[in-house]
Amino acid sequence: MGNPTGNNLLIISFDQWRGDWGNPLKPVIKLPTYEKIAENGIILTRCYTNSPQCVPARFSWITGLEPSQTCITKNEDVSLPSDAPSIIRDLQKNGWYTSIVGKTHWSSHNKPRDIRVTKRLIHQLGFDDVLEIPGPRALRTIDCKITDHWKEEGYLEMQRKDLYRRYCGIEKALAWKRNETILPNYLYPDIWLANQAVEKIEKLPERSPWLLWVSFVGPHEPFDTPHPWRGINKSNNLPAVIEKRLWINALNHECQLKESEQKWKDLLTKQDIKELREDYADHLCLLDEQINKLINTLNKRPDSDNTTILVMSDHGEMLGDGNMLYKGTFLESSIRVPFILKQANSNKRSIQIKKPINLTGAFKSIILGLQKNNPSKSLRVYCRKRQNVVVEYNKERLYIHGNRKICTNSHGNILWATNIKKDPNEEINIAKSQKFQNNKKWHIIQEKAKKEDLKRARPEWIWRDLLKNSYDQI
């Protein structure tokens, strides 16, 4: 007999998987396991992260709050307070066994230490069982279970030397050059994480509801995918790179998008972009096989039919679009993410939701719906009620209504605007055009956006140590 008291939830999350390369209805490359999950799932084809950087996006995930409510709107070397709200803690209190394997980034990753010292914090946020590792950059200095294994197998010193070479070399280009990992496959982080997660799945309780969060560190760079996946994708079969957008040059120098483009000016060559996009596609194929391991193990459990599966990512990846890399912009490549929910024991055909949806809001609705044994219905209700999406980064905000996007600064002044239906590559900034100024729809979006801001200006919980950076002063 399987668990009779409530749905289980397997969360599979990724770091830096962009949404247009994760749409199972329009696959960029063949990802059979991922597409199989989507066959009977709810697919949010326009799911947007709450912030295009790791720390604010992941703080938002766990707390259910917007970045401006946690006071973290960009990557900072901070740890989430143990008394912060946690939607997982709420689930735990209602009887769910909770476990996490992989990257959280809910604590500082910049200082050399053993990440296991933060296990108590993760427990306090609502997890009964914790096996945490940081991302590749932090693995240069932070110890954890995977570095123990690297050391035992004689690879720790060599791997850290390789990571330092990539990220700390005189030539910045080493960070995005395509070079194969020195690790054997069983020690490669995403493969190692999948194997650890398989063991966790086998040991989960059978007569009480459970949540297992498997948080992969890829397809985040370094671009070091191992064989047999290395080299299986070629650039001529991948989407074309979006060329530089000339309108960005005319933006104010204080605009975040202008700053991002200037940072990347003349750093990436066409060959760099070709190779890193191929490696990114190769890494997605590797990840798809790791998902397959998890699903195969899950299917051997007696409660597999009572397990809902959620697949999502924290933010996207520019991948050379506009000659930029990584994230940190409000352009589609950086903020749109994959999101699929497969309801437990569902044989219904996939449902596609095409309207813009807030990532944290969708995730939170699923956790709440899980307690009512119908996360799918809870997600559909949430999506039906939503009209706007707000994305936050540093001191700027992006408001999305339908196909229209407006970026404003902290004073509400419009910096740029696009219409992604008429201009999917966002090659035209229409904010200064007369048509934009006279279009009532755009002004309605502005007014709705202001109301959204007012709702969040007085959060129910705010980080007391960072009041100086509170919402009203951003």
Side-chain angles (χ1 to χ4, degrees):
M1 292 290 292
N3 155 35
T5 59
N7 279 335
N8 306 317
L9 179 62
L10 173 62
I11 303 169
I12 306 173
S13 66
F14 301 92
D15 193 341
Q16 220 152 289
W17 188 339
R18 56 187 274 174
D20 59 339
W21 286 46
N23 183 351
L25 303 175
K26 297 179 180 179
V28 169
I29 55 176
K30 189 65 179 175
L31 302 173
T33 306
Y34 182 74
E35 292 168 25
K36 182 70 175 177
I37 293 172
E39 284 180 1
N40 308 113
I42 299 175
I43 307 164
L44 306 188
T45 60
R46 292 186 60 201
C47 184
Y48 290 97
T49 181
N50 290 59
S51 179
Q53 280 199 335
C54 289
V55 176
R58 289 168 179 267
F59 276 26
S60 184
W61 262 351
I62 187 70
T63 64
L65 301 175
E66 306 293 336
S68 53
Q69 292 177 301
T70 64
C71 304
I72 300 298
T73 58
K74 62 179 180 178
N75 276 352
E76 296 184 37
D77 184 29
V78 291
S79 295
L80 195 64
S82 59
D83 65 344
S86 168
I87 60 176
I88 303 299
R89 187 196 299 125
D90 295 341
L91 190 67
Q92 181 191 48
K93 288 179 178 179
N94 282 304
W96 267 256
Y97 175 83
T98 54
S99 177
I100 188 162
V101 180
K103 179 181 176 181
T104 71
H105 219 156
W106 299 324
S107 63
S108 168
H109 281 187
N110 285 20
K111 300 178 179 67
R113 61 174 174 174
D114 192 312
I115 202 170
R116 284 164 286 206
V117 302
T118 65
K119 183 179 284 190
R120 184 168 182 268
L121 166 63
I122 310 303
H123 283 312
Q124 290 172 323
L125 290 173
F127 289 92
D128 297 299
D129 180 59
V130 179
L131 198 171
E132 185 182 9
I133 74 168
R137 291 176 183 257
L139 282 168
R140 291 173 294 171
T141 58
I142 292 182
D143 294 326
C144 57
K145 187 173 180 179
I146 193 172
T147 61
D148 289 349
H149 287 185
W150 289 349
K151 187 175 182 178
E152 291 167 6
E153 299 292 326
Y155 285 94
L156 180 60
E157 185 176 343
M158 289 188 291
Q159 173 65 359
R160 283 186 164 164
K161 185 177 180 180
D162 184 58
L163 290 173
Y164 271 108
R165 180 183 63 82
R166 293 174 190 269
Y167 292 124
C168 298
I170 296 174
E171 297 179 50
K172 291 184 178 180
L174 288 172
W176 57 82
K177 287 292 185 181
R178 187 184 191 189
N179 291 298
E180 187 177 358
T181 180
I182 66 163
L183 295 169
N185 284 3
Y186 68 95
L187 293 178
Y188 189 75
D190 283 322
I191 299 174
W192 182 90
L193 278 173
N195 292 336
Q196 297 294 316
V198 162
E199 294 181 12
K200 296 292 183 182
I201 293 172
E202 292 173 340
K203 297 176 182 178
L204 288 166
E206 295 182 6
R207 296 189 176 277
S208 62
W210 52 261
L211 175 148
L212 173 62
W213 191 335
V214 183
S215 182
F216 289 100
V217 298
H220 192 291
E221 90 290 334
F223 300 101
D224 65 348
T225 307
H227 288 288
W229 303 275
R230 184 176 180 80
I232 63 176
N233 291 284
K234 301 301 178 184
S235 60
N236 59 330
N237 295 321
L238 300 175
V241 176
I242 298 173
E243 300 299 328
K244 281 192 174 183
R245 300 161 173 92
L246 299 180
W247 59 268
I248 297 178
N249 291 329
L251 296 174
N252 187 292
H253 283 280
E254 295 180 355
C255 179
Q256 197 70 53
L257 182 54
K258 175 72 170 285
E259 183 180 317
S260 294
E261 190 190 58
Q262 290 297 310
K263 180 181 73 174
W264 286 102
K265 186 176 181 180
D266 301 326
L267 288 181
L268 296 171
T269 68
K270 289 185 177 181
Q271 185 64 23
D272 288 335
I273 295 172
K274 171 183 176 295
E275 291 181 359
L276 66 87
R277 287 168 79 90
E278 289 175 346
D279 188 88
Y280 187 86
D282 293 346
H283 200 150
L284 292 180
C285 293
L286 178 153
L287 288 167
D288 190 67
E289 291 196 29
Q290 307 318 302
I291 300 173
N292 189 51
K293 289 181 190 176
L294 306 184
I295 302 303
N296 285 341
T297 307
L298 174 66
N299 288 339
K300 295 175 183 178
R301 290 180 55 88
D303 56 0
S304 61
D305 286 343
N306 201 31
T307 301
T308 295
I309 301 170
L310 168 63
V311 183
M312 62 182 183
S313 179
D314 56 356
H315 51 71
E317 160 68 76
M318 291 301 295
L319 276 186
D321 286 343
N323 219 61
M324 291 181 275
L325 198 56
Y326 307 152
K327 55 271 187 183
T329 79
F330 285 148
L331 298 171
E332 292 290 289
S333 306
S334 179
I335 60 174
R336 194 186 291 196
V337 297
F339 193 102
I340 300 173
L341 180 75
K342 182 179 180 181
Q343 174 83 28
N345 203 22
S346 173
N347 294 315
K348 296 180 180 178
R349 294 183 62 182
S350 64
I351 298 171
Q352 181 182 178
I353 296 177
K354 299 180 181 180
K355 64 191 296 189
I357 299 295
N358 172 286
L359 172 59
T360 291
F363 180 39
K364 186 176 181 179
S365 73
I366 290 168
I367 298 300
L368 294 174
L370 200 65
Q371 300 175 49
K372 299 177 181 179
N373 289 334
N374 203 333
S376 176
K377 180 180 178 180
S378 181
L379 176 62
R380 293 196 305 272
V381 170
Y382 171 81
C383 292
R384 188 164 57 244
K385 292 181 178 179
R386 300 304 297 175
Q387 299 299 323
N388 306 290
V389 167
V390 180
V391 185
E392 301 175 308
Y393 179 46
N394 203 0
K395 296 181 180 181
E396 295 178 3
R397 279 165 182 71
L398 181 76
Y399 303 101
I400 306 172
H401 182 82
N403 296 305
R404 298 173 172 85
K405 297 170 62 176
I406 299 178
C407 176
T408 72
N409 63 17
S410 58
H411 303 292
N413 300 323
I414 295 175
L415 302 177
W416 55 269
T418 59
N419 185 320
I420 62 170
K421 182 176 182 179
K422 297 179 179 179
D423 177 26
N425 288 342
E426 297 182 279
E427 296 174 304
I428 302 170
N429 173 18
I430 59 175
K432 301 298 182 182
S433 70
Q434 195 64 41
K435 187 176 181 180
F436 174 84
Q437 298 293 334
N438 297 333
N439 192 328
K440 291 183 180 180
K441 288 183 178 180
W442 290 98
H443 295 288
I444 291 172
I445 295 172
Q446 285 181 263
E447 291 304 313
K448 288 183 176 180
K450 289 178 182 178
K451 290 180 181 179
E452 290 284 340
D453 271 358
L454 287 173
K455 289 179 183 177
R456 299 181 302 174
R458 294 286 180 267
E460 59 188 34
W461 174 90
I462 196 164
W463 199 337
R464 56 183 178 272
D465 294 333
L466 291 177
L467 284 173
K468 62 180 180 294
N469 293 327
S470 67
Y471 182 89
D472 295 329
Q473 295 175 334
I474 287 177

mmCIF file of all heavy atoms in Angstrom, residues 173-201:
data_model
loop_
_atom_site.group_PDB
_atom_site.id
_atom_site.type_symbol
_atom_site.label_atom_id
_atom_site.label_comp_id
_atom_site.label_asym_id
_atom_site.label_seq_id
_atom_site.Cartn_x
_atom_site.Cartn_y
_atom_site.Cartn_z
ATOM 1 N N ALA A 173 38.388 35.155 -20.254
ATOM 2 C CA ALA A 173 37.771 34.238 -21.222
ATOM 3 C C ALA A 173 37.879 32.787 -20.808
ATOM 4 O O ALA A 173 37.121 31.941 -21.285
ATOM 5 C CB ALA A 173 38.403 34.432 -22.598
ATOM 6 N N LEU A 174 38.803 32.468 -19.908
ATOM 7 C CA LEU A 174 38.918 31.087 -19.438
ATOM 8 C C LEU A 174 37.627 30.605 -18.788
ATOM 9 O O LEU A 174 37.349 29.408 -18.770
ATOM 10 C CB LEU A 174 40.075 30.973 -18.441
ATOM 11 C CG LEU A 174 41.491 31.064 -19.036
ATOM 12 C CD1 LEU A 174 42.527 31.142 -17.918
ATOM 13 C CD2 LEU A 174 41.772 29.870 -19.932
ATOM 14 N N ALA A 175 36.845 31.536 -18.244
ATOM 15 C CA ALA A 175 35.606 31.159 -17.562
ATOM 16 C C ALA A 175 34.566 30.620 -18.539
ATOM 17 O O ALA A 175 33.691 29.855 -18.147
ATOM 18 C CB ALA A 175 35.047 32.342 -16.792
ATOM 19 N N TRP A 176 34.602 31.056 -19.784
ATOM 20 C CA TRP A 176 33.584 30.580 -20.711
ATOM 21 C C TRP A 176 34.149 29.772 -21.881
ATOM 22 O O TRP A 176 33.437 29.426 -22.806
ATOM 23 C CB TRP A 176 32.742 31.747 -21.247
ATOM 24 C CG TRP A 176 33.513 32.833 -21.938
ATOM 25 C CD1 TRP A 176 33.956 32.846 -23.221
ATOM 26 C CD2 TRP A 176 33.896 34.080 -21.366
ATOM 27 N NE1 TRP A 176 34.608 34.016 -23.485
ATOM 28 C CE2 TRP A 176 34.577 34.812 -22.368
ATOM 29 C CE3 TRP A 176 33.729 34.671 -20.107
ATOM 30 C CZ2 TRP A 176 35.106 36.082 -22.148
ATOM 31 C CZ3 TRP A 176 34.250 35.933 -19.886
ATOM 32 C CH2 TRP A 176 34.922 36.635 -20.894
ATOM 33 N N LYS A 177 35.436 29.468 -21.822
ATOM 34 C CA LYS A 177 36.003 28.592 -22.832
ATOM 35 C C LYS A 177 35.519 27.157 -22.592
ATOM 36 O O LYS A 177 35.424 26.699 -21.451
ATOM 37 C CB LYS A 177 37.529 28.626 -22.785
ATOM 38 C CG LYS A 177 38.139 29.910 -23.320
ATOM 39 C CD LYS A 177 37.935 30.046 -24.825
ATOM 40 C CE LYS A 177 38.650 31.276 -25.358
ATOM 41 N NZ LYS A 177 38.439 31.433 -26.822
ATOM 42 N N ARG A 178 35.237 26.443 -23.661
ATOM 43 C CA ARG A 178 34.751 25.073 -23.547
ATOM 44 C C ARG A 178 35.930 24.126 -23.329
ATOM 45 O O ARG A 178 36.718 23.901 -24.245
ATOM 46 C CB ARG A 178 33.977 24.683 -24.807
ATOM 47 C CG ARG A 178 33.287 23.340 -24.708
ATOM 48 C CD ARG A 178 32.641 22.988 -26.026
ATOM 49 N NE ARG A 178 31.769 21.832 -25.878
ATOM 50 C CZ ARG A 178 31.216 21.196 -26.893
ATOM 51 N NH1 ARG A 178 31.448 21.591 -28.129
ATOM 52 N NH2 ARG A 178 30.428 20.155 -26.683
ATOM 53 N N ASN A 179 36.043 23.618 -22.113
ATOM 54 C CA ASN A 179 37.099 22.663 -21.764
ATOM 55 C C ASN A 179 36.482 21.533 -20.955
ATOM 56 O O ASN A 179 35.802 21.782 -19.962
ATOM 57 C CB ASN A 179 38.205 23.335 -20.945
ATOM 58 C CG ASN A 179 39.007 24.335 -21.765
ATOM 59 O OD1 ASN A 179 39.641 23.968 -22.738
ATOM 60 N ND2 ASN A 179 38.952 25.604 -21.383
ATOM 61 N N GLU A 180 36.728 20.312 -21.346
ATOM 62 C CA GLU A 180 36.126 19.158 -20.682
ATOM 63 C C GLU A 180 36.592 19.051 -19.234
ATOM 64 O O GLU A 180 37.732 19.357 -18.899
ATOM 65 C CB GLU A 180 36.484 17.880 -21.434
ATOM 66 C CG GLU A 180 35.761 16.642 -20.912
ATOM 67 C CD GLU A 180 36.073 15.398 -21.722
ATOM 68 O OE1 GLU A 180 36.819 15.516 -22.716
ATOM 69 O OE2 GLU A 180 35.572 14.321 -21.369
ATOM 70 N N THR A 181 35.707 18.618 -18.371
ATOM 71 C CA THR A 181 36.040 18.416 -16.965
ATOM 72 C C THR A 181 37.159 17.385 -16.798
ATOM 73 O O THR A 181 37.307 16.474 -17.618
ATOM 74 C CB THR A 181 34.804 17.946 -16.178
ATOM 75 O OG1 THR A 181 35.163 17.749 -14.801
ATOM 76 C CG2 THR A 181 34.251 16.643 -16.728
ATOM 77 N N ILE A 182 37.924 17.528 -15.723
ATOM 78 C CA ILE A 182 38.955 16.533 -15.410
ATOM 79 C C ILE A 182 38.383 15.394 -14.566
ATOM 80 O O ILE A 182 39.055 14.391 -14.335
ATOM 81 C CB ILE A 182 40.136 17.172 -14.656
ATOM 82 C CG1 ILE A 182 39.666 17.661 -13.266
ATOM 83 C CG2 ILE A 182 40.743 18.303 -15.460
ATOM 84 C CD1 ILE A 182 40.797 17.915 -12.303
ATOM 85 N N LEU A 183 37.136 15.542 -14.112
ATOM 86 C CA LEU A 183 36.532 14.558 -13.212
ATOM 87 C C LEU A 183 36.008 13.344 -13.967
ATOM 88 O O LEU A 183 35.489 13.477 -15.085
ATOM 89 C CB LEU A 183 35.369 15.191 -12.442
ATOM 90 C CG LEU A 183 35.705 16.312 -11.461
ATOM 91 C CD1 LEU A 183 34.425 16.997 -10.996
ATOM 92 C CD2 LEU A 183 36.490 15.768 -10.264
ATOM 93 N N PRO A 184 36.097 12.168 -13.355
ATOM 94 C CA PRO A 184 35.381 11.017 -13.922
ATOM 95 C C PRO A 184 33.884 11.245 -13.756
ATOM 96 O O PRO A 184 33.450 12.004 -12.883
ATOM 97 C CB PRO A 184 35.873 9.847 -13.070
ATOM 98 C CG PRO A 184 36.285 10.457 -11.772
ATOM 99 C CD PRO A 184 36.808 11.824 -12.103
ATOM 100 N N ASN A 185 33.087 10.610 -14.579
ATOM 101 C CA ASN A 185 31.647 10.890 -14.589
ATOM 102 C C ASN A 185 30.984 10.728 -13.219
ATOM 103 O O ASN A 185 30.123 11.513 -12.832
ATOM 104 C CB ASN A 185 30.946 10.005 -15.616
ATOM 105 C CG ASN A 185 31.184 10.486 -17.043
ATOM 106 O OD1 ASN A 185 31.915 11.453 -17.262
ATOM 107 N ND2 ASN A 185 30.577 9.827 -18.012
ATOM 108 N N TYR A 186 31.367 9.712 -12.467
ATOM 109 C CA TYR A 186 30.681 9.469 -11.195
ATOM 110 C C TYR A 186 30.957 10.555 -10.160
ATOM 111 O O TYR A 186 30.253 10.657 -9.144
ATOM 112 C CB TYR A 186 31.036 8.088 -10.632
ATOM 113 C CG TYR A 186 32.482 7.921 -10.176
ATOM 114 C CD1 TYR A 186 32.841 8.117 -8.841
ATOM 115 C CD2 TYR A 186 33.472 7.552 -11.075
ATOM 116 C CE1 TYR A 186 34.162 7.955 -8.426
ATOM 117 C CE2 TYR A 186 34.783 7.375 -10.668
ATOM 118 C CZ TYR A 186 35.123 7.591 -9.346
ATOM 119 O OH TYR A 186 36.427 7.424 -8.928
ATOM 120 N N LEU A 187 31.963 11.417 -10.422
ATOM 121 C CA LEU A 187 32.259 12.528 -9.521
ATOM 122 C C LEU A 187 31.857 13.884 -10.109
ATOM 123 O O LEU A 187 32.045 14.920 -9.468
ATOM 124 C CB LEU A 187 33.754 12.551 -9.167
ATOM 125 C CG LEU A 187 34.265 11.392 -8.318
ATOM 126 C CD1 LEU A 187 35.771 11.517 -8.097
ATOM 127 C CD2 LEU A 187 33.534 11.322 -6.974
ATOM 128 N N TYR A 188 31.319 13.878 -11.322
ATOM 129 C CA TYR A 188 30.849 15.122 -11.937
ATOM 130 C C TYR A 188 29.611 15.576 -11.170
ATOM 131 O O TYR A 188 28.695 14.778 -10.916
ATOM 132 C CB TYR A 188 30.518 14.872 -13.404
ATOM 133 C CG TYR A 188 30.220 16.125 -14.195
ATOM 134 C CD1 TYR A 188 31.250 16.980 -14.578
ATOM 135 C CD2 TYR A 188 28.914 16.455 -14.544
ATOM 136 C CE1 TYR A 188 30.990 18.128 -15.316
ATOM 137 C CE2 TYR A 188 28.640 17.595 -15.277
ATOM 138 C CZ TYR A 188 29.679 18.431 -15.658
ATOM 139 O OH TYR A 188 29.408 19.575 -16.378
ATOM 140 N N PRO A 189 29.541 16.850 -10.724
ATOM 141 C CA PRO A 189 28.503 17.272 -9.771
ATOM 142 C C PRO A 189 27.082 16.845 -10.087
ATOM 143 O O PRO A 189 26.389 16.296 -9.214
ATOM 144 C CB PRO A 189 28.656 18.796 -9.768
ATOM 145 C CG PRO A 189 30.115 19.007 -10.003
ATOM 146 C CD PRO A 189 30.504 17.943 -10.997
ATOM 147 N N ASP A 190 26.585 17.067 -11.307
ATOM 148 C CA ASP A 190 25.191 16.731 -11.589
ATOM 149 C C ASP A 190 24.937 15.225 -11.636
ATOM 150 O O ASP A 190 23.860 14.762 -11.260
ATOM 151 C CB ASP A 190 24.745 17.392 -12.900
ATOM 152 C CG ASP A 190 24.467 18.875 -12.723
ATOM 153 O OD1 ASP A 190 23.932 19.254 -11.670
ATOM 154 O OD2 ASP A 190 24.786 19.656 -13.636
ATOM 155 N N ILE A 191 25.921 14.469 -12.070
ATOM 156 C CA ILE A 191 25.788 13.003 -12.061
ATOM 157 C C ILE A 191 25.871 12.493 -10.622
ATOM 158 O O ILE A 191 25.085 11.629 -10.209
ATOM 159 C CB ILE A 191 26.877 12.359 -12.938
ATOM 160 C CG1 ILE A 191 26.723 12.834 -14.384
ATOM 161 C CG2 ILE A 191 26.809 10.835 -12.853
ATOM 162 C CD1 ILE A 191 27.838 12.378 -15.308
ATOM 163 N N TRP A 192 26.804 13.037 -9.870
ATOM 164 C CA TRP A 192 26.951 12.670 -8.452
ATOM 165 C C TRP A 192 25.664 12.986 -7.693
ATOM 166 O O TRP A 192 25.185 12.164 -6.894
ATOM 167 C CB TRP A 192 28.131 13.425 -7.865
ATOM 168 C CG TRP A 192 28.437 13.122 -6.433
ATOM 169 C CD1 TRP A 192 29.266 12.156 -5.939
ATOM 170 C CD2 TRP A 192 27.917 13.819 -5.278
ATOM 171 N NE1 TRP A 192 29.293 12.198 -4.558
ATOM 172 C CE2 TRP A 192 28.476 13.202 -4.133
ATOM 173 C CE3 TRP A 192 27.047 14.887 -5.107
ATOM 174 C CZ2 TRP A 192 28.189 13.637 -2.840
ATOM 175 C CZ3 TRP A 192 26.744 15.314 -3.821
ATOM 176 C CH2 TRP A 192 27.319 14.694 -2.709
ATOM 177 N N LEU A 193 25.079 14.161 -7.947
ATOM 178 C CA LEU A 193 23.838 14.548 -7.264
ATOM 179 C C LEU A 193 22.703 13.584 -7.602
ATOM 180 O O LEU A 193 21.925 13.190 -6.717
ATOM 181 C CB LEU A 193 23.436 15.970 -7.660
ATOM 182 C CG LEU A 193 24.106 17.125 -6.933
ATOM 183 C CD1 LEU A 193 23.725 18.454 -7.559
ATOM 184 C CD2 LEU A 193 23.727 17.115 -5.451
ATOM 185 N N ALA A 194 22.595 13.207 -8.861
ATOM 186 C CA ALA A 194 21.532 12.275 -9.254
ATOM 187 C C ALA A 194 21.684 10.938 -8.536
ATOM 188 O O ALA A 194 20.696 10.353 -8.069
ATOM 189 C CB ALA A 194 21.553 12.072 -10.769
ATOM 190 N N ASN A 195 22.913 10.458 -8.418
ATOM 191 C CA ASN A 195 23.143 9.186 -7.729
ATOM 192 C C ASN A 195 22.815 9.292 -6.238
ATOM 193 O O ASN A 195 22.274 8.342 -5.647
ATOM 194 C CB ASN A 195 24.595 8.743 -7.929
ATOM 195 C CG ASN A 195 24.893 8.367 -9.369
ATOM 196 O OD1 ASN A 195 23.979 8.004 -10.123
ATOM 197 N ND2 ASN A 195 26.145 8.454 -9.771
ATOM 198 N N GLN A 196 23.135 10.436 -5.634
ATOM 199 C CA GLN A 196 22.769 10.653 -4.239
ATOM 200 C C GLN A 196 21.250 10.712 -4.078
ATOM 201 O O GLN A 196 20.688 10.178 -3.123
ATOM 202 C CB GLN A 196 23.395 11.964 -3.727
ATOM 203 C CG GLN A 196 24.913 11.995 -3.717
ATOM 204 C CD GLN A 196 25.515 11.020 -2.735
ATOM 205 O OE1 GLN A 196 25.058 10.902 -1.592
ATOM 206 N NE2 GLN A 196 26.559 10.308 -3.151
ATOM 207 N N ALA A 197 20.587 11.353 -5.031
ATOM 208 C CA ALA A 197 19.130 11.483 -4.968
ATOM 209 C C ALA A 197 18.443 10.133 -5.141
ATOM 210 O O ALA A 197 17.406 9.870 -4.515
ATOM 211 C CB ALA A 197 18.652 12.460 -6.040
ATOM 212 N N VAL A 198 19.004 9.276 -5.970
ATOM 213 C CA VAL A 198 18.457 7.928 -6.144
ATOM 214 C C VAL A 198 18.423 7.199 -4.800
ATOM 215 O O VAL A 198 17.424 6.545 -4.448
ATOM 216 C CB VAL A 198 19.293 7.137 -7.179
ATOM 217 C CG1 VAL A 198 19.027 5.635 -7.060
ATOM 218 C CG2 VAL A 198 18.983 7.609 -8.589
ATOM 219 N N GLU A 199 19.503 7.315 -4.047
ATOM 220 C CA GLU A 199 19.547 6.678 -2.721
ATOM 221 C C GLU A 199 18.495 7.270 -1.794
ATOM 222 O O GLU A 199 17.881 6.555 -0.994
ATOM 223 C CB GLU A 199 20.935 6.845 -2.116
ATOM 224 C CG GLU A 199 22.037 6.094 -2.861
ATOM 225 C CD GLU A 199 23.402 6.258 -2.213
ATOM 226 O OE1 GLU A 199 23.460 6.758 -1.065
ATOM 227 O OE2 GLU A 199 24.421 5.885 -2.833
ATOM 228 N N LYS A 200 18.294 8.588 -1.891
ATOM 229 C CA LYS A 200 17.273 9.232 -1.045
ATOM 230 C C LYS A 200 15.873 8.732 -1.399
ATOM 231 O O LYS A 200 15.047 8.464 -0.504
ATOM 232 C CB LYS A 200 17.339 10.754 -1.217
ATOM 233 C CG LYS A 200 18.641 11.399 -0.763
ATOM 234 C CD LYS A 200 18.812 11.324 0.737
ATOM 235 C CE LYS A 200 20.081 12.033 1.169
ATOM 236 N NZ LYS A 200 20.314 11.940 2.637
ATOM 237 N N ILE A 201 15.593 8.624 -2.702
ATOM 238 C CA ILE A 201 14.267 8.164 -3.134
ATOM 239 C C ILE A 201 13.976 6.763 -2.604
ATOM 240 O O ILE A 201 12.866 6.460 -2.162
ATOM 241 C CB ILE A 201 14.169 8.192 -4.675
ATOM 242 C CG1 ILE A 201 14.224 9.639 -5.183
ATOM 243 C CG2 ILE A 201 12.887 7.509 -5.160
ATOM 244 C CD1 ILE A 201 14.318 9.757 -6.699
#
